[in-house]
Each structure stands twice: as structure tokens, then as C-alpha cells.
Amino acid sequence: MAKIAYILLCHKDPDAIIAQARMVTAVGDCIAIHFDGRAQADDFRQIRDALGGNPNVIFARKRIKCGWGEWSLVQASLLAVEAAVRAFPRATHFYMLSGDCAAIKSARYAHAFLDAEDVDYIESFDYFESDWIKTGMKKERLIYRHIFNERKHKWLFDTSFHLQQRLGLQRAIPADIQVQIGSQWWCLRRRTMEWILDFTRQRPDVMRFFRTTWIPDETFFQTLVRHIVPESEIRTRTLTFLMFTDYGMPQTFYNDHYDLLLGQDFLFARKISAEADELKERLAALYADDEAEFQISNEGRNLFKFLTGRGRIGRRFASRFWETESTLGRHRELMIIVCKKWHVAKRLLERVRQITNVPATEYLFNEEDTALPDLGGIQASLGKRTRHRRALMRMLFDYHETDRMIVCMDPGNLDLLEDFCGDRSITRLLEIQCVFSDEYLIGHAMRVGLAGEQTSDETLARLLPTIRGETTYESDKIRDADFEHHYIMHQNASDEDNAVPISKFLSIGYDAALSIARTDHLFAD
């Protein structure tokens, strides 16, 4: 009978990791854990103390500091695999998991499934012929050397890449391998895993090549398996149910997805929401249930595509089935600076960046050319940003690897403000109320197309009261919405008075807030 050694890569939530390890070992399976070297030492100690006496739990001999898109993820996987191969000689299969994964079948079902065919389960599509990569770099991932983390050191990443392009520093792919690509969530037989470990020792040239490719966790194991295992013994699929949006972000599952998940032809699923406690408890109990029966419908991906497609063409209905839990995250803080004079908000934001180091973005829902990272196309136009506002914001939180973020919005975006303030995240508003001269309002009318260079003085005179009234109306609507965390600073107030709402908005001390309030020429037009 199959005996599974799970390879767990994780970096947070020690309680969940302990529960996951106890769940799989309680039915006779085993687990090798790599806990990210960047994570808290106290969290790792908690895991070691709780699981150290369990003979079916082993830890990687070294903790690697992992970064998205880096070789470090493959290195961490190999360390955990080496530990599992040595510690669990009776393991027949090695199954890659993350801390966000959960079993959606019983252990009895999983063992019977793996016993049915003597094969490896791994996505491995031809790198150049397939359309697995939808946007962004393709061959450039391989033929140039990537030594900087794109998320943490974007300038260095881009500069290194463009410099290699200009100097023609392309490199050849090892001649005898055909690069493959696919999901990093695989299940491989013991013989295959031993062959891979032998290959890593015998082919330093291939190891050097993959160490400086970009996102090698999508290509390394996928390429090696296809290189050393007969095609007839490979099933080009993952046993972990996961779905991605059109923008390359994984779909998250919540408490009300239990029945849907059980009907899919997979053994595990990711990502399970950190807040879906009921779902995780039910799935943990299911793994040990030898009597559980499963009706496989496998409609998940088609249903997701159909329902989100209706939304894209405007056929909205109540809350979308897949978006009912599309929260930014209860643990996250979104801080919104609201100001009609965009240049004032931008000056303040720049000073806030200097004082707090909190990631900040300017008028992303108002200016097409706002500086944004490549998020798979969702950031390409104002229309897309507005339609997929919560998805965009979640992706920005993930991109910056932060739980606190600041953005700027125009007071006319009341629907956006109401949406974000209605989220389960902590949302704060800092409204900057400015004084509007006639000259400024005329300039504003021209910028937004209400007037032009040839507009007569008489027309402008009639238009000004309406524009001025509109700015007052927008501010009144925000006040009438009665948002919970709404702070106001005034152009005519003293720096000392304005420091108070700034301090509350940013959750910083008064002295730091006063330094921000004293920004040079803050309200100058």
C-alpha cells in the first residue's frame, strides 16, 4: 500500500503547521518540513517542540531564506526531500505541499488512488511550445542570469536584465535537456525522487543553469522528471486542486466551498483561507475518515470560468458565487488619502514614505500612468483597475509582501471608498480639505475637459459656482457616509492641529506626524 512522505514548505502559522503534521502522521504517513529561514525563530521553536518527538516528522537539515521566483525555493525543496528519503525508507511517494494546502479526500482514498497506477504526477509542458506562460518574460527567464529578487530589489533585477540584453550576454540551455514548465505541486514516486537526487550530484552544469533562472520552481523538477522518467509513466497533471484568475493570482477557498472541493478529482487543494477555520477542521476530520465516500463531479474550473465570465461581460447578479468572500484580509490595513488637489496628496504621500517606509501608491484609480508593478494585466487600464478593485489591492499587498499599504483617491470615488470601507480589513481615510481659488478651479475644469482654452469668461463665471459646489458636495457625501475611521486635516489648520489626524491615520507618534504635517509647501498650487 502507498505510504506518502509529504514535503511541506512553509513560513508562517505554526499552529496550522503542527495540526497539518499531526493530521497526516496520525494515519501512518510522514512529513518533512522546511520552515523558511526568514520566519520567526520562536515560531520554528514552537514547531520543533510540538513535533520533535514524532517519529514520522523530520526537518530539513538547514533553513533557507526563501524568496519568490528564486532558486532558494528549489533548494529548500531538495533539502526537505533529502531528509525525507533518508528518514522514511518505506515511503513510496513524495507529495509537495505548502502551508496553505489542505486534504480534500481521506487518507484511504489517497492511498488507493496512488496504488492504482505506478506513475508520477507532475505538470510538465514544453516550455517553448506550450502557452503555460500567459504574460511577461518567457525565454528571457532562461537565457539570462537572474541573481536578484524581482520583488525585493526590482531596480537591480531590471537593471541586470537590461544590461545583459544590451551586452548580448545570452547563455545556452544545456544541450541534452528539454526545459518543461508546470505547477510546483507534484507527487513523485520514490524511485523518481532518488533518480533526481542522483542527477543533482552528477550534473553540476544543469544545477548551475537552474540556479540563475527565474522562477525555477516551475521548471526544475518538471524538466528533470521528463528527462529521466519514461513518458508512459508520467501523468501531466497535479493532484492539488488550484485555480488562477486571469491575472495570475490563486483563487482562495472559504468555509462554504467544502462540498465543491470534495467533488473535484484531486487529493489536496490550495489556497485555503487563513480565516476558514471551519473548512480546515472539516477537512482535517475527513482525512482520517475511512468510511467517507466521494462523488466526483469535477466541475470546479468550468464553474469558476462561467461565473467570472458573466461578470466580465456585465451580467452581474447579487454577489458573485466566487466573490462572496473576496476580502482584502481581516489582518490587513488599507490607508486611503482622499484629496481633490492631487498634487497636495502626492506631496504628503512622499513625506509619509520617508517617515514610515509603508508601501504607497498614488491615484491608481484616477491616473492611467500611475507607477504600478506588472500584475498580469489587471493594472493595464483604469477600467480594469476599477472593475477588479479588490483583486488589484490584494495583489498589491502580496507584491509588496506587506499587511499595511497607503493609496490615494479622489473624493469623487465614493463608490470605491464605500467598497473598501465595507471590507473586513481595517480601512482608514485621511481627507485633506483644501481651499480652492478661482484660478485653481478654472485649471481643474480645463484638465477634466469641462472647459478649454477658447471658453469665454462669461461661461467660466457661470461654471465656477457649480464646480465649487461639486467639491463641497463630494466632501459632504464622504462625511454623510459615516465611515468608522475617517480623519480630516484642513489647509487652514495649524501644523500642530493637523498632526493629530495624521497620527491616528498612520498609527504613529505625534512627533513623527508633526514632521509630516510640516511638509514644505504642502498646499502650494
Side-chain angles (χ1 to χ4, degrees):
M1 180 185 240
K3 183 181 178 71
I4 307 171
Y6 292 101
I7 308 301
L8 178 63
L9 299 190
C10 47
H11 66 280
K12 60 181 180 180
D13 201 350
D15 291 331
I17 294 167
I18 294 167
Q20 194 173 29
R22 286 174 174 165
M23 179 192 77
V24 300
T25 57
V27 297
D29 289 322
C30 15
I31 190 167
I33 299 173
H34 178 276
F35 193 66
D36 196 329
R38 298 184 191 277
Q40 295 293 325
D42 288 344
D43 288 348
F44 184 58
R45 233 181 335 266
Q46 179 184 344
I47 297 169
R48 291 293 298 251
D49 291 345
L51 301 174
N54 190 328
N56 285 341
V57 177
I58 193 71
F59 294 89
R61 62 180 172 82
K62 183 181 179 182
R63 291 174 60 200
I64 301 297
K65 293 182 178 179
C66 297
W68 184 87
E70 294 181 1
W71 169 255
S72 54
L73 289 173
V74 177
Q75 187 180 6
S77 304
L78 288 171
L79 287 170
V81 165
E82 289 171 351
V85 168
R86 285 195 306 269
F88 310 127
R90 299 182 62 186
T92 61
H93 294 78
F94 296 80
Y95 196 123
M96 175 67 76
L97 290 177
S98 76
D100 295 323
C101 294
I104 57 173
K105 298 291 185 293
S106 65
R108 180 187 62 81
Y109 182 100
H111 295 154
F113 184 97
L114 296 177
D115 282 334
E117 283 193 284
D118 185 21
V119 295
D120 295 307
Y121 294 91
I122 184 170
E123 283 189 350
S124 53
F125 302 100
D126 185 278
Y127 188 91
F128 294 101
E129 298 300 324
S130 72
D131 64 346
W132 204 85
I133 298 175
K134 302 296 184 184
T135 61
M137 291 183 180
K138 190 165 186 176
K139 68 177 180 179
E140 293 86 357
R141 289 193 191 186
L142 306 178
I143 64 175
Y144 297 109
R145 295 167 178 82
H146 302 279
I147 58 177
F148 299 105
N149 185 289
E150 191 265 350
R151 290 187 173 181
K152 294 184 181 299
H153 306 289
K154 182 168 178 57
W155 184 85
L156 289 173
F157 179 91
D158 291 340
T159 300
S160 171
F161 168 59
H162 293 309
L163 187 61
Q164 292 179 73
Q165 278 188 313
R166 284 199 297 271
L167 297 178
L169 299 179
Q170 296 185 17
R171 59 173 174 178
I173 298 169
D176 62 329
I177 68 170
Q178 184 175 2
V179 179
Q180 306 286 308
I181 191 167
S183 167
Q184 62 268 54
W185 312 111
W186 38 255
C187 179
L188 304 178
R189 297 167 294 173
R190 183 178 195 89
R191 181 183 64 181
T192 301
M193 197 57 74
E194 290 173 343
W195 283 348
I196 288 175
L197 293 178
D198 288 341
F199 186 95
T200 64
R201 292 185 282 266
Q202 296 166 6
R203 293 295 302 273
D205 60 320
V206 175
M207 299 299 283
R208 282 194 301 271
F209 171 76
F210 277 107
R211 278 193 187 98
T212 51
T213 59
W214 190 41
I215 320 181
D217 53 312
E218 294 179 351
T219 55
F220 179 78
F221 289 100
Q222 296 77 359
T223 300
L224 266 58
V225 170
R226 185 68 67 173
H227 184 76
I228 62 182
V229 176
E231 184 175 1
S232 61
E233 298 180 19
I234 300 173
R235 297 293 176 265
T236 307
R237 58 162 295 188
T238 174
L239 298 181
T240 298
F241 181 56
L242 67 164
M243 296 187 298
F244 288 89
T245 68
D246 292 346
Y247 311 108
M249 298 301 292
Q251 177 67 36
T252 301
F253 299 107
Y254 297 90
N255 291 333
D256 56 351
H257 290 137
Y258 178 80
D259 293 328
L260 174 79
L261 292 175
L262 266 57
Q264 307 314 305
D265 187 21
F266 296 86
L267 304 184
F268 278 74
R270 80 179 299 267
K271 292 174 98 171
I272 307 299
S273 169
E275 300 173 6
D277 294 329
E278 179 187 341
L279 176 62
K280 287 185 283 189
E281 288 174 6
R282 295 178 72 184
L283 292 177
L286 177 72
Y287 192 73
D289 185 358
D290 287 344
E291 304 301 321
E293 298 293 335
F294 301 93
Q295 299 294 323
I296 305 301
S297 57
N298 220 32
E299 82 293 355
R301 288 199 173 99
N302 289 337
L303 182 61
F304 174 70
K305 183 177 180 181
F306 169 71
L307 292 174
T308 53
R310 286 174 66 91
R312 278 194 295 274
I313 62 175
R315 298 172 66 191
R316 298 304 297 270
F317 47 91
S319 298
R320 289 189 200 164
F321 175 77
W322 288 98
E323 293 183 347
T324 54
E325 290 279 350
S326 59
T327 176
L328 302 184
R330 194 186 303 275
H331 60 292
R332 284 173 165 165
E333 293 183 45
L334 177 63
M335 293 167 280
I336 305 174
I337 297 176
V338 182
C339 185
K340 196 66 180 179
K341 290 188 176 181
W342 296 357
H343 58 280
V344 174
K346 291 177 182 179
R347 287 187 196 128
L348 187 78
L349 192 66
E350 184 56 33
R351 185 59 178 156
V352 169
R353 284 195 188 105
Q354 297 169 5
I355 298 294
T356 67
N357 289 321
V358 176
T361 305
E362 295 175 1
Y363 285 83
L364 70 170
F365 296 109
N366 303 100
E367 292 185 298
E368 196 93 49
D369 59 352
T370 298
L372 290 169
D374 184 356
L375 301 173
I378 193 173
Q379 82 294 340
S381 68
L382 292 178
K384 281 187 175 181
R385 296 175 202 172
T386 303
R387 283 195 303 274
H388 307 293
R389 60 194 73 167
R390 291 198 186 188
L392 172 66
M393 211 63 75
R394 287 198 304 273
M395 292 167 76
L396 285 173
F397 273 113
D398 291 339
Y399 177 86
H400 292 296
E401 296 181 343
T402 184
D403 289 329
R404 303 186 77 220
M405 190 167 64
I406 308 170
V407 299
C408 294
M409 293 189 195
D410 189 278
N413 298 135
L414 183 62
D415 58 333
L416 296 178
L417 298 177
E418 289 176 333
D419 191 14
F420 287 122
C421 289
D423 190 82
R424 288 186 295 174
S425 63
I426 300 169
T427 306
R428 296 191 180 93
L429 305 184
L430 177 64
E431 183 184 359
I432 307 175
Q433 294 186 348
C434 300
V435 175
F436 298 97
S437 66
D438 288 350
E439 290 75 18
Y440 176 84
L441 291 178
I442 291 172
H444 172 73
M446 291 182 175
R447 285 190 295 272
V448 300
L450 295 176
E453 294 293 335
Q454 306 305 317
T455 302
S456 67
D457 292 341
E458 293 76 18
T459 300
L460 288 174
R462 289 196 300 270
L463 191 58
L464 280 177
T466 303
I467 298 174
R468 191 180 298 280
E470 183 67 15
T471 61
T472 303
Y473 173 77
E474 290 174 349
S475 182
D476 288 343
K477 291 292 289 183
I478 293 174
R479 184 188 61 203
D480 292 342
D482 198 24
F483 296 127
E484 183 179 2
H485 303 291
H486 176 204
Y487 309 106
I488 300 174
M489 56 182 292
H490 300 268
Q491 180 172 345
N492 289 333
S494 66
D495 293 339
E496 290 74 12
D497 288 341
N498 280 335
V500 175
I502 293 173
S503 173
K504 293 177 180 178
F505 173 71
L506 295 172
S507 299
I508 60 175
Y510 178 83
D511 290 341
L514 182 59
S515 177
I516 295 171
R518 288 174 173 168
T519 300
D520 290 340
H521 312 295
L522 176 60
F523 293 99
D525 290 332

